[in-house]
Amino acid sequence: MSTWLPARLVGREDQSATGRTLYLDVPRWPGHLAGQHVDVRLTADDGYHAVRSYSLAAPAEGSRIELGVQSVPGGEVSPYLADDLPLSAEVEVRGPLGGWFVWRPDTDGPVLLVAGGCGIVPLMAMIRAHRNHSTAPMHLVYSVRDPGQIWYHEELTGTGLGTTVHLVHTRQAPPGSSRPPGRVTASDLALPTAADGTGPECFVCGPTGFVENAAGLLTDAGHPPGRIRTERFG
Ligand SMILES: Cc1cc2nc3c(=O)[nH]c(=O)nc-3n(C[C@H](O)[C@H](O)[C@H](O)COP(=O)(O)OP(=O)(O)OC[C@H]3O[C@@H](n4cnc5c(N)ncnc54)[C@H](O)[C@@H]3O)c2cc1C
């Protein structure tokens, strides 16, 4: 198991009313793959520790790592990290962790990313790694309650992303939207099969219920279970 490393908060950015990007400087950071996560450890004055996992939102870039934290009401750690941890304060991180839910840019085949809420975070690392290093077809299905909950909005809707994006609004769709609000369905996840019959490698991330529903739809549509990788945020 990797050791705990000091990590300094060097920046914070709003992604939604309750979602934040945190930029941390980790001097001895060893680098990571898109999809991996870290454990973050907070220590109180009396020595009490709280540890939670957070996904890495961007490919490795020297000693700087980027996390995305959704503040969970009543949560012990996420509201503090999202809004109260002061700039320049130190926490500890351990990682990178996770070797299964990763995408490598040297993979050629098509990729289907399916995100629910802040489950977009590790998939964003894949999208960013893909933009810089791959021409493999990549498609994102991103489920959010309403337009105000879309993280990385400018980046996902701007030019040069290299990934096609299909937004699914579950409670409130933007005016003029052709898709009525509702949960992700089989047709949201339908992708053309490649000429050689290869289906995509699928990555599904979000709250447990979302992941189970989406993975079930993919299995029902004939995707082999071995090509569906999932990450549950609890
Ligand atoms: C591999 C992995 C990667 C993760 N990556 C991220 C990430 O990139 N961004 C992120 O924001 N979170 C991520 N999480 C979730 C994160 O680790 C915490 O569980 C979350 O921040 C809540 O912690 P808390 O201390 O605030 O809440 P807690 O004090 O642990 O829980 C408070 C209450 O909220 C409920 N709860 C816990 N987590 C959630 C949740 N995610 N949604 C709704 N209710 C919840 C609990 O059941 C409990 O009732 C990840 C989890 C795992 C396992």
Side-chain angles (χ1 to χ4, degrees):
M1 178 60 86
S2 47
T3 53
W4 291 104
L5 299 171
R8 189 171 299 283
L9 183 66
V10 293
R12 178 187 267 117
E13 210 176 289
D14 290 351
Q15 292 296 344
S16 69
T18 51
R20 308 280 178 264
T21 286
L22 301 187
Y23 300 101
L24 298 166
D25 186 51
V26 188
R28 287 180 287 129
W29 183 247
H32 60 271
L33 297 169
Q36 290 189 296
H37 64 276
V38 293
D39 281 347
V40 175
R41 179 162 77 171
L42 304 179
T43 304
D45 291 342
D46 63 2
Y48 170 75
H49 295 300
V51 178
R52 297 291 185 277
S53 302
Y54 292 97
S55 300
L56 292 148
E61 191 193 333
S63 64
R64 191 170 102 148
I65 62 170
E66 177 181 332
L67 309 181
V69 178
Q70 172 69 49
S71 178
V72 174
E76 186 180 16
V77 169
S78 61
Y80 178 76
L81 283 180
D83 290 321
D84 298 333
L85 179 71
L87 275 181
S88 298
E90 229 176 56
V91 296
E92 291 171 290
V93 300
R94 181 170 64 186
L97 302 172
W100 167 247
F101 195 81
V102 296
W103 179 78
R104 291 178 170 79
D106 56 5
T107 323
D108 288 338
V111 187
L112 173 60
L113 310 174
V114 186
C118 67
I120 186 67
V121 175
L123 306 186
M124 200 62 203
M126 297 179 192
I127 289 169
R128 288 165 164 169
H130 172 267
R131 178 177 56 199
N132 298 335
H133 301 290
S134 170
T135 55
M138 184 175 268
H139 184 72
L140 169 70
V141 177
Y142 182 13
S143 168
V144 291
R145 280 172 188 229
D146 58 66
Q149 301 298 318
I150 302 170
W151 290 29
Y152 316 111
H153 191 281
E154 255 178 54
E155 204 172 335
L156 288 177
T157 54
T159 54
L161 187 68
T163 293
T164 56
V165 178
H166 174 59
L167 291 171
V168 172
H169 298 89
T170 57
R171 299 273 172 84
Q172 187 203 327
S177 172
S178 57
R179 185 192 183 282
R183 277 161 52 134
V184 167
T185 64
S187 67
D188 291 311
L189 300 177
L191 273 186
T193 304
D196 64 359
T198 325
E201 196 174 1
C202 305
F203 293 86
V204 185
C205 186
T208 301
F210 173 86
V211 169
E212 281 169 6
N213 177 55
L217 291 171
L218 290 169
T219 311
D220 292 348
H223 294 272
R227 302 270 292 166
I228 306 170
R229 297 173 196 234
T230 58
E231 184 104 287
R232 293 165 172 78
F233 277 6

